[in-house]
Amino acid sequence: MTGSVQDRQAEAEKPYDVFHTDCPARNVIDHVTSRWGVWVLISLRGNDLRFYELRESIRGISEKMLAQTLRALVQDGLVWREVEPTTPPQVTYGLTEFGRDVGVPLTDLFDLVTQRQTPGATG
């Protein structure tokens, strides 16, 4: 897949139909709403983080799953990746403008759920 969904959308004249199986935006929605995609976007909402910082901030995620999730979100144009040529390389991730826009409703949802006491909820 070349270019982000946002870039392809800008080239298209009509909006995407996410209910159509061939819609490229459908993959982005799948990545954003995946088990770990939401947590990566929420973790990056306030600041840029290195790989190990992200791994520490998202408890329960394996290095393999974090790497796969980040790869998909970078490919979708939601997250940027910067590699510092050191030994070992230091890799930093942050949200693109598109990622920040997508993250707003996720952050609102996160805040709503974490601020509300619901019966039977454990934390």
Side-chain angles (χ1 to χ4, degrees):
M1 195 150 73
T2 58
S4 71
V5 168
Q6 187 180 21
D7 293 338
R8 290 189 299 277
Q9 175 66 33
E11 296 170 4
E13 292 297 320
K14 60 182 182 175
Y16 283 124
D17 177 8
V18 294
F19 292 101
H20 192 279
T21 57
D22 293 335
C23 179
R26 196 170 182 156
N27 286 333
V28 175
I29 292 169
D30 287 343
H31 295 152
V32 168
T33 60
S34 71
R35 177 175 182 187
W36 300 112
V38 171
W39 296 112
V40 168
L41 293 174
I42 288 173
S43 292
L44 291 172
R45 68 183 169 173
N47 51 340
D48 306 336
L49 297 172
R50 293 202 172 129
F51 184 89
Y52 78 90
E53 292 171 321
L54 264 171
R55 190 184 67 226
E56 292 297 315
S57 73
I58 307 170
R59 298 205 176 153
I61 191 168
S62 68
E63 286 191 24
K64 178 182 177 182
M65 285 310 305
L66 179 56
Q68 287 177 355
T69 302
L70 285 166
R71 194 174 305 117
L73 295 174
V74 167
Q75 188 174 0
D76 293 338
L78 296 161
V79 172
W80 56 261
R81 177 182 190 264
E82 181 181 323
V83 180
E84 296 177 37
T86 59
T87 305
Q90 294 182 350
V91 184
T92 305
Y93 295 90
L95 294 177
T96 63
E97 182 178 348
F98 182 40
R100 285 189 300 275
D101 290 345
V102 168
V104 168
L106 295 176
T107 297
D108 292 343
L109 175 64
F110 179 83
D111 291 343
L112 178 67
V113 170
T114 57
Q115 292 172 6
R116 181 179 175 146
Q117 288 238 270
T118 57
T122 59

